[in-house]
Amino acid sequence: RRFPTVEIRAETFNGSTHVPVPSDSAFLKALLFELRLIDDHIFVEHRDTCTRINHSSVYSVRTEGGDLWPVLAFQKSGLIYACLPLVEETLEPRPPLLTVSGLSQGLALLLGIVDYISPSRKNEAEMNAKIGQLRNLLIQACPLGTPLNTNIRSLNSSFDDIQEMPTDENQPAWRSNTYKGKPQVNVCITEKVKCMQYDKRDVVDTWQVYGAVNCKCDIEGSAPNVTLSLNLPTNGPPLQDIVVHHCVTSVDPAMLMSSSAEPLDDSVYNGPYKFPFIPPSDSFNLCYYTSQVPVPPILGCYQLIEEGSQLKITINLKLHESIKNSFEYCEARIPFFNRGPIAQLEYKVSYGQLDLSREKSLLVWVIGQKFPKSLEVSLTGTVSFGAAGKEHPTDYVCTGNTAYVKLYFRIPDFTLTGCYVDQHSIQIFVPGKPKITASRELISSDYYIWNSKAPAPMVYKTLF
C-alpha cells in the first residue's frame, strides 16, 4: 500500500534531499538485492563490505532516485515483511533509530500482519485468501498511513461488518469496542534467553535476554487510563532497547535511550519503568526489551569424540545457584547429523532419563522439573550407527564432530532479569476495584552447547 499523504509529508520534511519511493517492481528488486536474495554471488561494496554490519532489521535501500531509509524488513516463514516508516525530521544527518517513533509503529504493524498470516502458512489456499483480504484490513488498521490498530486478527475482513466509528470523541481508534463487566487486568512478562556456549578458552560464550510484557485489560469506558510499573530487584541488570506500544501516552526519555549497543555505566536508567497507557480492547504487548544479564541460567559442557565406529559423548550441565530450581519442563536434545540410525547405545545418567527418538537419530535427555541438590547433572555414553538413509537428518554446518546439545526449558514465575510487576503499583482510574493478575516466565530460545572437541560456528559480541 502507498499513502500519498505520508509521501507528501516526507517531501515537506526533506525538501531537495527527498528520495521518492520508486515503482513497486523497482522497489521490490532493490529490496531483494539489499537482502542478498538476488545477485548474492556478486560482491557489491556498499552492500557486502565488512565495515557495514547490520545490527537491526533496518536497511538503506539503494534506488535510482537515491538511498531510501529507513526501510524496515525481515523474513518470516518464506515471506518478506517490509515497510517504509515516515521520519518526522530531516534525514541529514540520519537521526538515531531510537528517536524514530515510526519504526516502532511500523514494526508493530508488521508483527500484527505476521500474527494474522502465520497460522495459515502451511495451507497455501488459505494463506492466499488471507493475503487477498489484507488490503481491506489495512484500510482499517492504517487508514491514512498512521497505524491505529496493529492487531490485524481483530479486524473484520469485509467492509459490511465494519463498526461505525465511536461517537465518543475521546475514545482512541485502537479501542475497537467497549467492555461491560467487572474490571480485570492480566499482565504476563515473558523472557526468552538465547545462548551459545563453547567451553573453550579462546572463544567467548554469548547469551542474550529478550523480554515482552503482554497485557489484557477488560475495563469499562471509552478511554480508561492505566499506569503499570515494571520493577527490578536491587542490583538487577537494567532493561535496554525498550520499544513501547503506540497506546502508551508518555514515557521517560531516559528509559528509551538505554541501548545494548552502548557500554553500561552508572548513569543508566534502572527503573522503576512506568507506562501510562489507554489499553486496546484485545491482548497486546505493552513493550519489548533486552537486558545484559551476568550469567546464563544453565552452564554446560559437551564433549563428543569419534573412536573407530563409535562416538563417545559426555555432557555436564549445571544450574546456576541464582536460578529458581522449579521447571515446567527441562530437557536436552542431542541430534546426530549426517549419520545413519542409532544401532547401539550404552549410557549412564546421573539424573533424569534418556529416550531415543522414533527415527533413531536424536537422544532426548529428560531432566524433568528439578535439578538435584548439587544443581549438577551428567550424561556419558557410547553410540554406534547403522547405514544412513534419506530420512536421517543432514546438516552442512554440523559435519564430522561439529555437533551441539540444544536445551529446552520453561521456568514459571521467574525472570532472568528479576523483572516483575508490582500489582499494587498498577493504577486504574475507573470506578470499582479491578481484579489484577500478574505472572512471569523464562523460556529457552536457541540455547546451544557446542562440542568443545571440534570447531563450531562463532558468535561474538559486536565491538563498537
Side-chain angles (χ1 to χ4, degrees):
R1 276 196 61 93
R2 290 169 172 268
F3 299 97
T5 51
V6 180
E7 293 190 49
I8 290 170
R9 290 177 66 197
E11 191 171 358
T12 303
F13 280 117
N14 293 289
S16 60
T17 61
H18 174 68
V19 178
V21 182
S23 66
D24 290 358
S25 58
F27 175 76
L28 177 60
K29 185 177 179 181
L31 179 62
L32 293 176
F33 181 81
E34 181 64 30
L35 295 176
R36 297 181 176 86
L37 296 176
I38 58 174
D39 295 337
D40 61 327
H41 60 288
I42 302 171
F43 177 79
V44 181
E45 186 168 355
H46 83 270
R47 181 190 70 176
D48 301 320
T49 175
C50 291
T51 58
R52 182 184 170 211
I53 301 173
N54 274 331
H55 305 296
S56 65
S57 298
V58 180
Y59 298 88
S60 177
V61 175
R62 184 159 292 188
T63 68
E64 285 188 8
D67 290 354
L68 274 180
W69 182 90
V71 176
L72 184 59
F74 57 86
Q75 298 179 64
K76 181 80 172 177
S77 304
L79 295 175
I80 300 172
Y81 297 83
C83 69
L84 177 59
L86 174 67
V87 180
E88 298 186 274
E89 56 185 300
T90 180
L91 292 176
E92 296 293 341
R94 284 184 181 171
L97 294 182
L98 287 174
T99 65
V100 182
S101 60
L103 280 172
S104 57
Q105 293 179 354
L107 179 61
L109 182 64
L110 292 181
L111 291 176
I113 295 173
V114 171
D115 186 49
Y116 168 70
I117 289 178
S118 287
S120 309
R121 63 186 174 86
K122 292 183 180 177
N123 185 326
E124 191 172 346
E126 186 179 333
M127 187 172 75
N128 288 336
K130 282 196 169 185
I131 291 174
Q133 294 170 353
L134 255 185
R135 187 171 184 84
N136 288 354
L137 295 173
L138 284 174
I139 290 174
Q140 303 169 57
C142 198
L144 292 173
T146 300
L148 300 178
N149 187 350
T150 57
N151 188 350
I152 308 296
R153 282 199 300 177
S154 70
L155 301 173
N156 299 290
S157 59
S158 82
F159 284 113
D160 300 334
D161 298 332
I162 297 177
Q163 300 174 359
E164 292 184 9
M165 288 298 289
T167 53
D168 188 338
E169 61 181 19
N170 294 320
Q171 182 168 339
W174 59 81
R175 279 187 70 79
S176 54
N177 52 57
T178 53
Y179 171 78
K180 298 290 184 185
K182 186 177 180 180
Q184 51 188 3
V185 175
N186 291 296
V187 185
C188 179
I189 302 174
T190 299
E191 286 188 357
K192 294 185 177 180
V193 55
K194 292 188 173 187
C195 194
M196 290 276 180
Q197 295 182 37
Y198 304 100
D199 190 36
K200 294 185 178 182
R201 287 187 177 183
D202 58 336
V203 184
V204 179
D205 293 346
T206 64
W207 55 93
Q208 298 166 304
V209 178
Y210 304 87
V213 181
N214 184 267
C215 298
K216 179 70 167 74
C217 301
D218 295 325
I219 305 171
E220 291 188 357
S222 57
N225 286 295
V226 179
T227 298
L228 181 147
S229 292
L230 298 181
N231 296 275
L232 294 175
T234 307
N235 300 325
L239 306 186
Q240 297 176 294
D241 306 323
I242 298 173
V243 178
V244 300
H245 192 274
H246 58 76
C247 72
V248 176
T249 52
S250 66
V251 72
D252 189 325
M255 186 193 304
L256 301 180
M257 295 307 292
S258 178
S259 168
S260 58
E262 302 290 339
L264 288 172
D265 58 44
D266 293 336
S267 64
V268 72
Y269 191 92
N270 58 5
Y273 303 85
K274 282 196 171 186
F275 300 92
F277 59 96
I278 299 174
S281 307
D282 299 292
S283 174
F284 71 102
N285 285 328
L286 177 68
C287 70
Y288 300 91
Y289 62 84
T290 67
S291 185
Q292 299 180 42
V293 297
V295 290
I298 297 175
L299 290 166
C301 169
Y302 178 34
Q303 294 184 348
L304 179 150
I305 302 172
E306 201 158 358
E307 292 185 352
S309 60
Q310 288 187 330
L311 293 181
K312 287 188 69 176
I313 62 170
T314 302
I315 303 170
N316 295 303
L317 301 176
K318 182 178 186 345
L319 181 69
H320 194 269
E321 58 266 18
S322 66
I323 307 302
K324 181 181 179 184
N325 190 9
S326 177
F327 294 78
E328 181 180 304
Y329 57 85
C330 181
E331 65 182 42
R333 298 185 186 180
I334 309 123
F336 296 97
F337 298 105
N338 311 308
R339 304 175 192 274
I342 294 174
Q344 190 172 358
L345 170 66
E346 295 180 7
Y347 68 91
K348 179 181 178 182
V349 290
S350 67
Y351 195 78
Q353 66 181 56
L354 190 67
D355 298 326
L356 178 62
S357 66
R358 183 179 296 177
E359 68 278 6
K360 297 186 176 181
S361 61
L362 174 72
L363 296 179
V364 181
W365 181 12
V366 180
I367 296 165
Q369 296 180 320
K370 268 186 179 296
F371 274 64
K373 283 186 177 181
S374 65
L375 302 182
E376 296 185 47
V377 294
S378 62
L379 161 66
T380 56
T382 57
V383 187
S384 56
F385 302 88
K390 288 184 179 179
E391 71 276 11
H392 292 282
T394 59
D395 193 290
Y396 295 110
V397 174
C398 297
T399 57
N401 286 356
T402 298
Y404 61 76
V405 173
K406 190 173 182 182
L407 298 187
Y408 295 82
F409 58 82
R410 177 181 180 270
I411 306 178
D413 194 29
F414 180 81
T415 51
L416 201 51
T417 61
C419 183
Y420 66 97
V421 174
D422 182 357
Q423 297 188 29
H424 301 294
S425 71
I426 297 179
Q427 298 176 320
I428 305 174
F429 302 98
V430 292
K433 188 175 181 180
K435 178 184 177 183
I436 297 172
T437 306
S439 60
R440 53 185 187 161
E441 61 182 357
L442 177 68
I443 301 174
S444 63
S445 172
D446 296 333
Y447 204 106
Y448 292 94
I449 299 167
W450 290 89
N451 177 21
S452 62
K453 296 295 184 181
M458 305 304 175
V459 180
Y460 286 101
K461 182 173 174 63
T462 307
L463 299 175
F464 289 89

